[in-house]
Amino acid sequence: MLLNGIHIENTYAEAFDMKATRLIVTADTPAWARHAGMAATGFATSVIACGCEAGIERELTPEETPDGRPGVSLLFFATGRSVLGKQVETRLGQCILTCPGTACFSGVPRGSKEDLIPMGQKLRYFGDGQQMSKLVGGRRYWRIPVMDGEFLCEESSWSVPAVGGGNLLILADARMAALEAAEAAADAMRTVPNVVLPFPGGVVRSGSKVGAKYKGMPASTNDAYCPTLRGLPRSRLPAEVESVLEIVIDGLTAADVAAATTAGLKCLIERGRGSGVWGVTAGNYGGKLGRHHFHLHELLP
Amino acid sequence: MSDAYTLLRGGRVCDPAGAADGTALHGPPRDLYLKDGHIAATPPEGARIGEVVDLDGRIVMAGAIDIHSHIGGGKVNLARLLLPEEHREHGSGPDGLRRSGSGLFTPSSFVTGYRYAEMGYTAAFEPAMLPSNARHTHLELADVPIIDKGCYAVLGNDDFLLERLAAGATQSEVNDYVAWILHATQAVGVKVVNPGGISAFKFNQRRLDLDEAHPHYGITPRRILTTLATALSDLGVPHPLHVHCNNLGIPGNESVTRDTITALDGLPAHLTHLQFHSYGTEGDRRFSSAAAEIAESVNRSPNISVDVGQIIFGQTITASADIMSQFRNSGLASPRKWVCTDIECDGGCGLVPFRYRDKAFVNALQWAIGLELFLLIEDPWRVYLTTDHPNGGPFTSYPHLIRLLMDRSFRNEQLARINPDVAAHSRLGSIDREYTLEEIAIMTRAGPARVLGLRDRGHLRPGAVADVVVYDDLPDREAMFAAPALVFKNGRLVARNGQLTATGWGDTIVVRPEFDSAIERRLKPWFEDHQTVRLGNFRIADGEILDHGRGGLSIVPTLTASDSCF
Amino acid sequence: MSVLSFRLKGPLPGRVDASPLLPHRLAALTVTEIAALPLRLGRGHVVVGELFDLSGGPGDTVEIEGDGRLDFVGAGQSSGTIRIAGAVGHRAGTGMSGGVLVVEGSAGLAAGAAMRGGVLTIGGDAGNELGGALPGERTGMMGGRILVRGSCGDRVGERMRRGLIAVGGDTGAYAALHMNAGSLLIGGRPGAATGHGMRNGTILFRGEIDPLPGFADCGLNQLPFLSLLDNHLSELDGVPPACRGLTGRARRWLGDRGFGGRGELLSCL
């Protein structure tokens, strides 16, 4: 299919069931909330080696936060509840507790005991007996004395079902053209609620395929889309495409991932062939690994 | 005085301490005459019979006697204060006959009297009256209706005695002191609790063996024990020393219990709540039953009588003067609150609420140990039915306990329900013995009466106080003993089918041995210097007990050389 | 939703135990049956119909005309609404576990004692032992909310373990005696020995206080938790205005250290 001069391949992105949670981090200024959020969601691009995928969902105004201060909302995705809990615990302890003036709250509705993600419940021991807990409006908060005052942290959050691994591959004539298109698409996709784009700037250049010729490598470079290998039979790239970039989408529901996909497609199509984008495709594993399939032709704007 | 007789016609009388026909249970029914509150001999022809009660072959026994039951005094009151929830949940209002009251295992004074009477008990003895608490205890027991009551004064940890013993007091000085205490506190016996141990606790000792010297006074529990036992024997007090041995509840305490029996060397003594003192250290858990060894030791020592202190599963509170053991157990408190306190340097007091759980190995084995003791001690005249109320369970569980003793299949059913390891660690399942009704009558009536020196109670011979209980001969002994058909106290019907029908007041039973009042010359300055009241005020006058006719005093005669001692 | 109203026929002749008049219990009965319910009056009993005129129908809400001798109103309440026009006697809402109890007038002793849940609102003053502990119990209030517009007596929140008490006016002596946890907001002046024996929990008030020597002065602090609490209070009905408007800045004392406690007194700005 050709829209506004851009090839939209008739294929689908294959995504997986994951577990996710949302944390609200507030601080005295938006900048310090952002610092905490960036650090906590840093090194969280792919579950392959980071343990979780995470990002800043959006920034929050004081009116939107529980304690009336500016904040950010963070989404964390992992393959299961317990690994998610471990990741949240270490990131909370190392990146949010440590950051001046922050407080941290759960950003999901109260869930069941099996879905519990410990927050203050584990972190409180940092208080060495001087911590205090308060139950306000049915939720428990821990107050941990720290050097700039008190770190206020909700006792726990809960994991919710989520979808990870939605993606778009942008095929462009040149590297700068691919980069500018990816930036624009990522900006558009970030406006969709309940999703994050976990890679740096939302964009990834080292798309991967399952398996490798080397033992012990679960994944290796997606050689079918590497322009330097264009001449090989397995290449999926037309001759004019010199650079490919991917945008990975994690969302709380399939609908959220679909909405983000649509937003990305809309942006790319509107920019047109003149922006140097040749076409858009998506990555899948033949449909055998992930339950969720996002067909590009069904998600066109 | 009335000249009319009450005739209880055609009952099967079970009166082991009665005349030669004590086994009349299997013989023809017999008539029993009551007159002026006493059992009367068969009246002459033409005497006026006021009332005839047809018993139709029901079983007749004397009123039961509880030899060891914490029913009044400072520590019981503290227990009530510690567990207000028990009293909130189990309250009853006045109903025209009863006064209001509350409580389940620490019942208020009125409820205590009503419940005992409804179960066919007509006397109960408060075993741990600290002399400094005597007035409180008597005031409280004065509010226990219907039943007769008596108290054992607790000695053996009081500084006066320990100091005098350390200073080398003669036996006769101790005798005079003991007798003076019996008079002054209106007691019927003397109990020694963890001899020397309670005092040693206050000097930071947490365990004291029979031959271990007290850290301050330098005297041993053995010395305290034998001196007090000798004193009571010399004074002719019928109830021998009531001994709560050292190291209650500690695994391995059976050795100190057996040493105590040996140390008494033929002196009469009563070992109380023996179950808590019969623990060995065998097995993986270092906790085992030593009931067989202890029973063997008791069987061989005719000078010793015991009560068991059986535990009953469920919530209760342990109340003891043995502050050493109570402090040790305070971590087990359930609900999680407890009290340990000194009482005027006279003794101690510890209260630890406890729930005996049938699935817990230790509790279940305690249960089995108690039953083993009952069944392995051969002479029912020397082993008495108690739960050490409320320590092992409330006195209201006696009917259940009687069924456990009388009904082997019921007992084995219960054994099968509790922690399964216990059946493997205990010989209880292999004991065939079942108590007979006569043996129950002995252990709940005749035996306690004899060991307390109550000549006119515990039997149904003419002249005895007319405390008579009539039971339906039900196959379910628990139901039978829980709700006797008729209960007479002093010849008056007070309960029918386990329901109170009348109330009244019983006597306070005391003993008054002779002594040399010169002891007061030593005591007076001691009271001036160390006690909170003066000697003159410490002594409880008869009038305080009699209370213008509401209370009564019944004096147990002291033994003389001609009396047979057992 | 039907409302059942109890109008007093005259002043009560003695102290009456109103604990049977709970919405969920009455909902199962007809008005005639309710009129025949016995209530404890002194040492005896009296039927509801002798004391009250009934109108309306049994349902979720009960309205009662109050009297200072009407005790145990809403004691053990677990659901529904009880609204009292006027004052109540002692032990209103004792052991309450849910529902709403609104007393428009004042309450006597031990209102909301041993409360476990629900909301108790008192328009007037409350007596001693507001939200306190039943005699001899290790724990007092274990949950729920008590909002008092006026002042209260001594030992408010004794042995409190969880929940919120907000008193618009002054509190008497020994407020939060042996408090274990929970929050006590005082809009007016705290009385003598406030926080004695407290092991944990928070007492908030305004202005000067001379705390017991067992409290360590930790100076002025910015506490984000206070903003959170203030936000929460803004969502509730009936919070005394004097308890509102916490800025997050407070002087903090920790104690009662004589009891190994680390509860806090917060003098809020």
Side-chain angles (χ1 to χ4, degrees):
Chain A
M1 183 186 290
L2 205 62
L3 286 176
N4 210 5
I6 294 183
H7 293 83
I8 310 290
E9 195 177 344
N10 186 12
T11 184
Y12 57 91
E14 186 172 345
F16 306 89
D17 285 320
M18 298 187 89
K19 289 286 184 186
T21 192
R22 181 190 280 119
L23 304 189
I24 309 283
V25 177
T26 63
D28 296 323
T29 65
W32 281 103
R34 215 153 43 225
H35 282 311
M38 301 233 331
T41 58
F43 185 59
T45 55
S46 162
V47 292
I48 293 174
C50 300
C52 72
E53 300 175 7
I56 296 178
E57 182 189 14
R58 68 187 182 95
E59 299 198 2
L60 301 171
T61 62
E63 293 72 36
E64 293 176 297
T65 61
D67 64 350
R69 299 191 303 165
V72 291
S73 102
L74 313 178
L75 290 175
F76 294 82
F77 297 80
T79 48
R81 199 261 317 186
S82 74
V83 56
L84 182 63
K86 280 267 172 292
Q87 285 293 327
V88 167
E89 183 188 330
T90 45
R91 287 161 188 272
L92 187 59
Q94 300 304 307
C95 306
I96 298 176
L97 164 69
T98 53
C99 185
T102 58
C104 188
F105 309 95
S106 166
V108 295
R110 170 182 275 280
S112 68
K113 212 172 145 193
E114 296 75 51
D115 295 328
L116 199 99
I117 302 287
M119 292 167 59
Q121 195 184 8
K122 291 277 176 70
L123 222 53
R124 65 180 155 129
Y125 296 109
F126 184 72
D128 197 26
Q130 302 297 337
Q131 71 274 23
M132 249 181 131
S133 101
K134 296 270 39 150
L135 198 62
V136 178
R139 289 193 162 198
R140 184 170 295 285
Y141 300 89
W142 286 94
R143 300 163 54 195
I144 302 168
V146 284
M147 287 170 15
D148 76 341
E150 236 176 27
F151 174 51
L152 177 66
C153 185
E154 195 164 342
E155 168 153 276
S156 58
S157 185
W158 291 271
S159 69
V160 294
V163 176
N167 61 77
L168 284 179
L169 291 171
I170 301 166
L171 283 53
D173 301 338
R175 182 140 91 208
M176 278 318 289
L179 195 56
E180 280 164 15
E183 266 180 33
D187 284 346
M189 292 159 81
R190 275 197 207 94
T191 62
V192 176
N194 302 336
V195 299
V196 293
L197 315 178
F199 282 92
V203 184
V204 53
R205 63 103 175 259
S206 61
S208 58
K209 67 172 187 292
V210 178
K213 69 176 267 193
Y214 302 109
K215 245 176 111 176
M217 286 288 286
S220 58
T221 190
N222 197 357
D223 40 21
Y225 289 91
C226 291
T228 54
L229 308 176
R230 257 178 300 191
L232 298 181
R234 77 182 76 151
S235 180
R236 307 279 303 272
L237 294 182
E240 54 266 59
V241 171
E242 196 187 307
S243 183
V244 179
L245 288 174
E246 181 177 355
I247 297 178
V248 173
I249 311 155
D250 292 338
L252 295 186
T253 64
D256 297 325
V257 175
T261 307
T262 304
L265 285 170
K266 180 166 185 278
C267 168
L268 293 168
I269 292 164
E270 277 172 4
R271 283 163 55 93
R273 182 69 181 100
S275 64
V277 172
W278 177 86
V280 181
T281 184
N284 62 57
Y285 310 93
K288 291 190 286 281
L289 297 181
R291 191 159 70 87
H292 304 280
H293 300 167
F294 298 97
H295 292 272
L296 297 188
H297 284 189
E298 291 169 13
L299 295 174
L300 290 172
Chain B
M1 293 294 243
S2 141
D3 62 349
Y5 288 83
T6 300
L7 167 59
L8 306 183
R9 186 155 64 195
R12 287 191 291 150
V13 176
C14 181
D15 187 18
D21 60 351
T23 54
L25 196 52
H26 306 294
R30 226 180 78 187
D31 296 342
L32 210 57
Y33 292 91
L34 317 182
K35 185 166 182 287
D36 298 327
H38 288 78
I39 309 281
T42 306
E45 202 66 29
R48 203 160 73 78
I49 308 292
E51 190 189 357
V52 181
V53 182
D54 270 314
L55 300 186
D56 296 327
R58 289 192 180 89
I59 291 167
V60 182
M61 295 189 191
I65 297 166
D66 193 344
I67 194 170
H68 188 107
S69 175
H70 299 273
I71 53 172
K75 97 189 127 342
V76 179
N77 223 24
L78 276 174
R80 295 182 187 121
L81 287 170
L82 188 63
L83 295 171
E85 60 270 36
E86 175 204 344
H87 293 268
R88 269 200 301 276
E89 284 159 21
H90 303 99
S92 54
D95 62 3
L97 175 63
R98 293 175 178 82
R99 290 181 53 164
S100 61
S102 59
L104 206 61
F105 36 89
T106 58
S108 58
S109 60
F110 283 91
V111 172
T112 302
Y114 302 147
R115 291 209 183 125
Y116 262 125
E118 287 176 341
M119 273 176 21
Y121 272 76
T122 52
F125 290 82
E126 160 56 49
M129 172 180 70
L130 286 176
S132 58
N133 260 349
R135 183 166 277 109
H136 173 172
T137 309
H138 282 294
L139 282 169
E140 209 180 303
L141 293 184
D143 268 351
V144 174
I146 306 172
I147 61 170
D148 300 326
K149 50 257 170 178
C151 304
Y152 313 143
V154 173
L155 291 178
N157 285 288
D158 47 322
D159 285 316
F160 180 80
L161 179 67
L162 299 183
E163 194 172 300
R164 291 307 305 148
L165 284 179
T170 60
Q171 181 69 44
S172 77
E173 184 187 335
V174 174
N175 294 358
D176 288 339
Y177 171 62
V178 169
W180 185 86
I181 285 282
L182 286 168
H183 277 256
T185 66
Q186 304 275 13
V188 71
V190 171
K191 183 190 188 194
V192 62
V193 178
N194 190 354
I198 299 172
S199 172
F201 178 83
K202 299 171 191 172
F203 293 90
N204 287 327
Q205 198 86 355
R206 293 295 175 262
R207 184 188 166 118
L208 195 67
D209 283 318
L210 197 60
D211 290 307
E212 199 174 346
H214 183 289
H216 178 71
Y217 293 111
I219 48 178
T220 61
R222 180 189 295 271
R223 169 103 189 275
I224 299 168
L225 186 76
T226 51
T227 308
L228 284 173
T230 307
L232 290 168
S233 177
D234 289 355
L235 290 167
V237 173
H239 187 47
L241 184 62
H242 201 90
V243 183
H244 162 139
C245 295
N246 297 70
N247 297 340
L248 176 142
I250 300 181
N253 61 11
E254 54 97 13
S255 63
V256 84
T257 309
R258 283 189 295 151
D259 290 349
T260 301
I261 294 174
T262 314
L264 287 161
D265 194 22
L267 279 167
H270 177 86
L271 302 193
T272 190
H273 40 69
L274 197 60
Q275 179 272 128
F276 290 106
H277 301 278
S278 304
Y279 303 153
T281 53
E282 284 160 25
D284 301 342
R285 313 194 200 210
R286 317 292 300 153
F287 181 69
S288 61
S289 166
E293 294 83 345
I294 297 288
E296 167 61 23
S297 186
V298 172
N299 285 338
R300 272 191 282 109
S301 315
N303 56 317
I304 299 294
S305 63
V306 305
D307 67 83
V308 169
Q310 174 66 29
I311 71 148
I312 300 293
F313 300 119
Q315 177 71 51
T316 189
I317 183 167
T318 63
S320 175
D322 191 348
I323 195 169
M324 202 183 241
S325 75
Q326 292 297 74
F327 180 74
R328 187 170 53 241
N329 293 334
S330 58
L332 303 173
S334 163
R336 225 164 43 78
K337 47 186 175 181
W338 52 273
V339 178
C340 280
T341 175
D342 166 62
I343 296 184
E344 303 211 8
C345 294
D346 206 5
C349 166
L351 298 152
V352 181
F354 195 75
R355 176 178 289 277
Y356 291 105
R357 292 178 301 124
D358 57 0
K359 299 295 183 232
F361 174 76
V362 169
N363 299 162
L365 192 59
Q366 287 179 302
W367 178 85
I369 291 170
L371 292 175
E372 285 173 1
L373 287 170
F374 272 120
L375 297 165
L376 294 173
I377 296 176
E378 289 153 7
D379 183 0
W381 286 94
R382 294 197 286 121
V383 55
Y384 313 123
L385 187 101
T386 68
T387 56
D388 190 15
H389 164 88
N391 288 304
F395 63 78
T396 46
S397 47
Y398 290 169
H400 175 75
L401 180 51
I402 289 173
R403 184 168 179 203
L404 287 171
L405 297 177
M406 294 189 75
D407 185 341
R408 176 165 179 260
S409 59
F410 177 67
R411 185 163 72 225
N412 286 342
E413 258 171 52
Q414 303 299 311
L415 181 62
R417 269 189 216 164
I418 63 174
N419 185 306
D421 292 353
V422 167
H425 282 76
S426 155
R427 67 176 65 183
L428 184 60
S430 64
I431 303 178
D432 291 337
R433 183 174 173 193
E434 287 183 336
Y435 268 78
T436 62
L437 275 178
E438 286 85 354
E439 286 175 323
I440 293 293
I442 292 168
M443 75 182 332
T444 57
R445 285 130 165 114
R450 193 171 80 172
V451 82
L452 285 161
L454 311 177
R455 298 179 184 205
D456 52 0
R457 285 166 171 84
H459 63 84
L460 298 171
R461 292 194 302 273
V465 171
D467 296 350
V468 183
V469 188
V470 178
Y471 295 102
D472 291 313
D473 190 3
L474 304 176
D476 178 352
R477 300 304 191 188
E478 183 171 348
M480 168 175 167
F481 281 94
L486 301 168
V487 180
F488 295 88
K489 176 76 186 91
N490 295 89
R492 278 176 70 227
L493 181 69
V494 293
R496 184 190 295 277
N497 297 326
Q499 292 298 315
L500 204 70
T501 58
T503 180
W505 301 105
D507 284 351
T508 299
I509 298 171
V510 298
V511 66
R512 305 244 165 116
E514 286 177 15
F515 69 104
D516 181 354
S517 60
I519 187 70
E520 292 196 359
R521 284 208 298 274
R522 264 199 207 287
L523 281 164
K524 203 167 185 330
W526 173 267
F527 271 86
E528 298 286 339
D529 294 346
H530 299 294
Q531 297 289 65
T532 52
V533 291
R534 294 200 167 144
L535 179 134
N537 297 332
F538 180 85
R539 218 171 2 214
I540 297 171
D542 287 357
E544 295 181 62
I545 304 276
L546 296 172
D547 191 18
H548 307 290
R550 183 172 142 173
L553 274 169
S554 171
I555 300 169
V556 173
T558 47
L559 300 175
T560 57
S562 61
D563 283 305
S564 61
C565 236
F566 66 91
Chain C
M1 198 192 324
S2 50
V3 176
L4 182 66
S5 296
F6 293 74
R7 185 169 298 278
L8 279 173
K9 289 186 164 169
L12 291 178
R15 303 211 77 91
V16 170
D17 176 355
S19 59
L21 306 181
L22 299 176
H24 77 274
R25 282 191 56 183
L26 301 184
L29 305 177
T30 65
V31 173
T32 326
E33 284 169 334
I34 293 168
L37 273 183
L39 299 179
R40 270 197 308 150
L41 167 68
R43 293 184 66 195
H45 287 87
V46 63
V47 296
V48 168
E50 268 186 52
L51 301 177
F52 296 99
D53 286 319
L54 271 62
S55 61
D60 195 42
T61 303
V62 170
E63 285 182 354
I64 305 174
E65 191 178 343
D67 185 300
R69 299 219 260 186
L70 197 60
D71 295 336
F72 294 103
V73 176
Q77 185 181 356
S78 58
S79 62
T81 301
I82 303 178
R83 189 174 295 280
I84 312 292
V88 291
H90 307 316
R91 294 273 180 102
T94 290
M96 182 173 178
S97 61
V100 177
L101 174 59
V102 180
V103 179
E104 287 172 4
S106 293
L109 298 173
M115 189 165 167
R116 285 178 290 145
V119 181
L120 166 61
T121 309
I122 296 171
D125 296 333
N128 291 345
E129 295 156 50
L130 172 72
L134 294 177
E137 288 290 351
R138 282 166 49 92
T139 45
M141 185 166 166
M142 281 166 280
R145 202 155 65 224
I146 299 178
L147 307 169
V148 180
R149 189 163 278 267
S151 297
C152 72
D154 297 343
R155 298 189 302 285
V156 49
E158 180 177 356
R159 295 189 178 276
M160 182 174 183
R161 179 162 215 115
R162 194 175 286 175
L164 177 87
I165 302 177
V167 179
D170 302 340
T171 54
Y174 291 100
L177 181 65
H178 293 293
M179 183 188 220
N180 267 318
S183 305
L184 169 63
L185 283 91
I186 305 171
R189 288 178 56 78
T194 290
H196 175 81
M198 81 189 281
R199 295 186 59 86
N200 213 324
T202 306
I203 305 174
L204 301 111
F205 53 89
R206 285 205 164 75
E208 290 300 309
I209 187 177
D210 187 16
L212 290 168
F215 285 85
D217 186 356
C218 299
L220 275 174
N221 286 283
Q222 183 70 30
L223 302 171
F225 140 78
L226 288 178
S227 322
L228 191 77
L229 184 65
D230 199 50
N231 268 357
H232 172 64
L233 295 177
S234 71
E235 292 161 9
L236 306 177
D237 288 334
V239 178
C243 297
R244 290 290 324 283
L246 305 169
T247 61
R249 215 162 156 67
R251 184 162 171 193
R252 185 172 199 246
W253 288 265
L254 272 182
D256 185 338
R257 290 160 60 76
F259 291 77
R262 46 193 188 80
E264 57 183 353
L265 302 181
L266 295 178
S267 171
C268 303
L269 301 181

